[in-house]
């Protein structure tokens, strides 16, 4: 196995906002609290500990609720030990969140959880007097079923066709037996394929709802690490948010605070999320719809449900579980109930978290350290052999397809296609002509400049024609290079955003996860290329 690293700008697949954040550009420093380096965690610990000392009941409610969520889960001792540790004032969490994608969805699901697991280990070494618990927050209340109903195995979509509404965590797993049959045909027959099938069966065929199935699957993959999986669709946990939910309904604080930040947002960056006036949904089985304030009433869109101000506050007190935060408020919910130090997420998540600091300040909740999850490209043995045979460099693989063609053509061409020397020589000659014009008749300067542009353009045209001719000559080689690039970057996107972990597990088994845990360093803010060459 070989490990290479690239900067995020060199990988060419991340936004300028994230690149600038990782470089600690001054313009962004007001948008976050502390940068993710090991030293900054000491102050974060002290601040979060002080916050939680003011609300001691929070740890008790958290532990009781999560222990209840772990009823009937086998082989969970490491996770149960970590849940119990959350009672202690010296225990803190490192958290990531993810949708309930079918069979984990994209490969980066693993990278997110491995990032929090490995960061907890690094923090325990650096700060041995404290405990650090890895958390996976399941997005059980999301209602965008179309985003989670499939995964890709070696480029082929495996889809769960189902009529769905409401929070996805409450969806029945009915119909997934048929999905497994289709998936099984693609997997073939091997020991690792059998393990994948067993993972799928245990999670989806032995549990009645998607939230439980996802918990079981994530637990099977990371139970050795004591991963604690939290479902926010929980009455007791939401009871800890009553004051914040009331503030949202009456004062619209999140809207005003986030809008103020967006008004001052640097023009170089895209605004990731725009807040609504009320950033809460109303949630029941098969129903999750926005709450809006219209004509003096609180209405649930697409329904006949309506409340006066007094009525909705009574509803909130009696049924806090019916109020579901959206993308603006969910981070506050998470950070209110967890003694959390750091949130680990992808580039898109980091972008909307950077909008939220002032809102957190208004609610007197400590803003977490924001850490980009690990990102990686896995190169299989077979792909590695092809790369070696083509004499490609790792950096070559990250070029745009036309850039790769041109670089390889220039590299392999038997003639020198780079006319830079000739252009420079031509420009030197015209410098002499400009000097002559200056001494004789300055009115000729325009004619000389036009002739210079014409001749430079002629050289450039010749260079392009020669390059095109050499590409035709090297066509077979360039096609093979293009094919390997397309395998590693399906749909011109990062592998981690397209393929499911099973695409690699079928060849490497559980060793895949061990390799990733051994080689992904959460505080090394570079892109990893993991070559499985042995």
């Amino acid at each position: 196995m070989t490990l290479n690293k690239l900067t995020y700008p060199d990988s060419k697949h991340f936004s300028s906002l994230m690149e600038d954040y990782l470089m600690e550009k001054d313009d962004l420093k007001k948008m976050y609290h502390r940068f993710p380096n090991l030293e900054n965690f000491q102050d974060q610990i002290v601040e979060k500990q002080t916050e939680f000392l003011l609300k001691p009941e929070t740890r008790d409610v958290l532990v009781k609720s999560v222990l209840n969520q772990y009823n009937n889960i086998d082989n969970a001792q490491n996770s149960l030990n970590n849940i119990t540790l959350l009672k202690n004032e010296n225990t803190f969490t490192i958290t990531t969140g993810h949708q309930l994608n079918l069979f984990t969805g994209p490969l980066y699901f693993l990278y997110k959880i491995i990032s929090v697991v490995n960061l907890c280990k690094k923090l325990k070494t650096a700060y041995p007097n404290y405990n650090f618990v890895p958390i996976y927050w399941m997005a059980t209340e999301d209602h965008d079923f179309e985003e989670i109903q499939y995964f890709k195995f070696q480029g082929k979509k495996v889809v769960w066709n189902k009529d769905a509404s409401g929070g996805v965590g409450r969806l029945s797993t009915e119909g997934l037996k048929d999905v497994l049959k289709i998936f099984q045909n693609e997997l073939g027959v091997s020991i690792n394929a059998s393990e994948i099938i067993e993972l799928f069966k245990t999670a989806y065929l032995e549990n009645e709802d998607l939230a439980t199935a996802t918990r079981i699957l994530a637990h099977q993959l990371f139970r050795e690490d004591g991963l604690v999986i939290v479902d926010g669709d929980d009455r007791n946990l939401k009871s800890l948010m009553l004051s914040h939910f009331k503030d949202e309904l009456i004062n619209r604080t999140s809207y005003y605070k986030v809008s103020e930040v967006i008004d001052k947002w640097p023009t170089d960056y895209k605004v990731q999320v725009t807040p609504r006036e009320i950033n809460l949904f109303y949630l029941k089985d098969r129903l999750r719809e926005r709450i809006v304030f219209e004509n003096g009433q609180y209405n649930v869109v697409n329904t006949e449900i309506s409340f006066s101000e007094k009525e909705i506050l009574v509803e909130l007190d009696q049924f806090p579980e019916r109020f579901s935060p959206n993308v603006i408020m969910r981070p506050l919910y998470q950070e209110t109930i967890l003694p959390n130090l750091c949130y680990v997420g992808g580039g898109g998540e980091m972008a909307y978290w950077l909008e939220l600091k002032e809102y957190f300040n208004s609610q007197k909740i400590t803003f977490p350290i924001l850490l980009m999850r690990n990102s990686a490209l896995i190169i299989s043995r077979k792909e590695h052999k092809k790369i070696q045979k083509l004499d490609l460099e790792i950096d070559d693989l990250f070029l745009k397809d036309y850039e790769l063609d041109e670089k390889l053509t220039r590299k392999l061409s038997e003639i020198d296609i780079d006319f830079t020397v000739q252009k420079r020589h031509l420009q030197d000659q015209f410098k002499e002509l400009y000097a002559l014009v200056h001494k004789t008749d300055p009115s000729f300067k325009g004619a000389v400049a036009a002739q210079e542009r014409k001749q430079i353009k002629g050289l450039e045209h010749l260079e392009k024609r020669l390059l095109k001719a050499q590409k035709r000559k090297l066509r077979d080689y360039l096609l093979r290079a293009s094919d390997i690039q397309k395998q590693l970057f399906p749909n011109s996107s990062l592998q981690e955003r397209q393929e499911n972990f099973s695409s690699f597990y079928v060849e490497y088994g559980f060793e895949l996860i061990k390799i990733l845990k051994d080689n992904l360093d959460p505080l090394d803010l570079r892109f990893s290329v993991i070559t499985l060459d042995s």
Side-chain angles (χ1 to χ4, degrees):
M1 196 226 74
T2 306
L3 179 65
N4 294 93
K5 300 277 189 176
L6 287 82
T7 67
Y8 279 96
D10 285 343
S11 75
K12 306 178 190 299
H13 281 273
F14 293 85
S15 70
S16 59
L17 175 59
M18 285 303 99
E19 291 174 2
D20 290 351
Y21 174 67
L22 296 175
M23 289 190 290
E24 299 183 71
K25 288 285 185 72
D26 288 340
D27 288 351
L28 294 177
K29 288 183 177 178
K30 62 182 178 293
M31 298 180 188
Y32 60 90
H33 194 32
R34 295 185 176 94
F35 193 73
N37 58 49
L38 203 55
E39 296 75 21
N40 283 343
F41 277 89
Q42 178 63 66
D43 289 338
Q44 192 76 13
I45 287 168
V46 171
E47 187 174 356
K48 195 66 180 182
Q49 189 172 50
T50 301
E51 177 196 317
F52 261 62
L53 287 173
L54 298 175
K55 48 181 189 180
E57 76 286 352
T58 299
R59 286 186 183 271
D60 291 336
V61 173
L62 174 65
V63 170
K64 288 177 184 175
S65 296
V66 179
L67 282 175
N68 185 57
Q69 293 178 12
Y70 268 75
N71 278 342
N72 304 318
I73 295 184
D74 297 329
N75 301 313
Q77 196 56 53
N78 290 347
S79 298
L80 294 173
N81 290 343
N82 274 342
I83 295 169
T84 303
L85 279 176
L86 289 171
K87 293 179 182 178
N88 302 336
E89 294 175 0
N90 68 334
T91 300
F92 300 91
T93 62
I94 305 297
T95 302
T96 192
H98 195 65
Q99 295 173 293
L100 305 193
N101 296 72
L102 183 61
F103 211 48
T104 76
L107 182 58
Y108 67 74
F109 173 85
L110 296 188
Y111 302 160
K112 278 186 165 185
I113 294 181
I114 288 169
S115 293
V116 298
V117 165
N118 283 350
L119 182 54
C120 285
K121 292 176 182 176
K122 291 180 81 75
L123 290 173
K124 185 62 178 176
T125 300
Y127 303 105
N129 293 329
Y130 300 98
N131 304 309
F132 305 95
V133 175
I135 301 286
Y136 161 39
W137 182 286
M138 295 193 295
T140 55
E141 296 176 55
D142 282 3
H143 57 264
D144 296 319
F145 181 68
E146 292 78 11
E147 294 183 5
I148 69 162
Q149 68 179 138
Y150 70 91
F151 63 92
K152 289 184 179 179
F153 174 73
Q154 297 181 351
K156 296 180 181 178
K157 257 190 178 185
V158 179
V159 184
W160 179 21
N161 291 310
K162 181 184 182 71
D163 291 327
S165 59
V168 294
R170 302 183 184 190
L171 289 178
S172 163
T173 54
E174 185 180 357
L176 284 170
K177 188 174 183 179
D178 294 332
V179 173
L180 177 58
K181 288 179 183 177
I182 295 169
F183 184 31
Q184 210 164 343
N185 290 335
E186 298 293 337
L187 282 169
V189 180
S190 68
I191 293 174
N192 293 337
S194 297
E195 285 184 17
I196 292 170
I197 292 165
E198 196 57 36
L199 281 169
F200 195 101
K201 283 181 178 178
T202 303
Y204 295 103
L205 305 191
E206 297 178 12
N207 295 286
E208 294 182 353
D209 62 73
L210 189 56
T212 305
T214 304
R215 183 193 301 277
I216 294 298
L217 178 58
H219 177 68
Q220 287 177 289
L221 294 171
F222 293 102
R223 66 187 178 205
E224 293 177 4
D225 305 293
L227 180 68
V228 174
I229 303 157
V230 176
D231 183 354
D233 188 3
D234 183 290
R235 175 185 171 84
N236 293 325
L237 293 179
K238 285 188 177 175
S239 70
L240 299 172
M241 282 291 288
L242 284 175
S243 64
H244 302 294
F245 286 167
K246 286 178 183 177
D247 174 68
E248 181 66 13
L249 291 167
I250 304 303
N251 300 317
R252 327 278 199 270
T253 305
S254 70
Y255 172 74
Y256 292 112
K257 289 297 179 181
V258 177
S259 295
E260 286 173 10
V261 173
I262 290 174
D263 287 343
K264 301 173 185 176
W265 198 255
T267 55
D268 293 344
Y269 310 127
K270 174 188 172 185
V271 173
Q272 190 72 16
V273 176
T274 302
R276 298 186 181 276
E277 286 196 8
I278 296 177
N279 291 286
L280 286 171
F281 288 87
Y282 192 71
L283 178 70
K284 284 186 172 181
D285 285 341
R286 299 190 67 80
L287 171 68
R288 187 180 187 247
E289 294 286 356
R290 288 191 297 116
I291 300 170
V292 297
F293 189 70
E294 300 170 323
N295 302 318
Q297 290 286 111
Y298 292 87
N299 301 318
V300 179
V301 301
N302 299 320
T303 75
E304 299 298 319
I305 302 170
S306 184
F307 303 95
S308 67
E309 180 178 302
K310 182 178 179 180
E311 288 169 339
I312 202 166
L313 293 180
V314 170
E315 181 83 355
L316 175 60
D317 283 331
Q318 292 181 349
F319 305 104
E321 69 275 13
R322 293 180 181 176
F323 292 79
S324 175
N326 74 353
V327 66
I328 293 289
M329 280 203 76
R330 186 206 57 76
L332 184 80
Y333 178 27
Q334 169 194 299
E335 299 298 317
T336 298
I337 69 172
L338 292 175
N340 195 50
L341 303 176
C342 174
Y343 184 75
V344 177
E349 290 172 285
M350 295 293 96
Y352 73 71
W353 275 85
L354 289 171
E355 300 176 25
L356 303 178
K357 183 184 171 190
E358 292 307 313
Y359 175 47
F360 270 70
N361 290 343
S362 75
Q363 303 298 298
K364 296 181 170 55
I365 300 296
T366 302
F367 197 65
I369 290 173
L370 300 179
L371 176 64
M372 273 273 284
R373 64 167 172 81
N374 285 123
S375 240
L377 171 69
I378 300 173
I379 299 176
S380 70
R381 297 183 187 98
K382 185 177 179 181
E383 290 160 342
H384 177 61
K385 288 178 181 177
K386 290 180 180 179
I387 290 168
Q388 283 184 314
K389 191 172 182 179
L390 292 168
D391 194 27
L392 295 174
E393 302 291 335
I394 291 297
D395 290 356
D396 294 341
L397 301 171
F398 288 83
L399 296 171
K400 303 292 185 185
D401 53 1
Y402 63 89
E403 293 174 331
L404 179 63
D405 270 5
E406 183 166 330
K407 180 179 178 180
L408 295 178
T409 301
R410 292 184 184 277
K411 176 182 174 182
L412 296 170
S413 176
E414 296 174 354
I415 60 173
D416 188 1
I417 307 175
D418 187 353
F419 285 5
T420 301
V421 173
Q422 288 84 348
K423 291 175 192 174
R424 192 179 300 122
H425 180 64
L426 188 62
Q427 287 165 340
D428 288 341
Q429 289 180 317
F430 272 92
K431 282 180 184 177
E432 295 178 12
L433 286 174
Y434 284 123
L436 184 61
V437 164
H438 182 70
K439 291 177 181 179
T440 55
D441 187 349
S443 66
F444 283 115
K445 185 177 180 181
V448 173
Q451 191 62 227
E452 180 184 20
R453 285 194 300 272
K454 181 179 179 181
Q455 293 196 32
I456 292 290
K457 192 172 181 180
L459 281 175
E460 289 173 346
H461 179 66
L462 181 58
E463 188 177 25
K464 287 179 182 177
R465 288 191 63 183
L466 285 172
L467 183 64
K468 191 174 182 180
Q470 287 300 99
K471 283 183 181 179
R472 286 197 297 269
K473 187 175 180 180
L474 297 168
R475 183 173 179 274
D476 289 345
Y477 173 85
L478 295 177
L479 282 175
R480 293 201 303 275
S482 176
D483 286 345
I484 188 65
Q485 189 184 48
K486 287 175 181 176
Q487 289 174 34
L488 295 172
F489 296 87
N491 298 320
S492 300
S493 178
L494 287 177
Q495 174 194 79
E496 64 185 37
R497 299 174 187 168
Q498 298 289 319
E499 287 293 335
N500 182 258
F501 81 95
S502 58
S503 297
F504 300 92
Y505 197 106
V506 74
E507 182 173 356
Y508 301 100
F510 198 78
E511 185 65 21
L512 169 72
I513 295 175
K514 292 180 180 177
I515 289 170
L516 294 174
K517 284 195 284 191
D518 287 345
N519 287 280
L520 295 178
D521 180 349
L523 296 180
D524 184 343
L525 303 178
R526 293 179 294 171
F527 189 97
S528 299
V529 180
I530 299 172
T531 304
L532 304 172
D533 49 10
S534 61

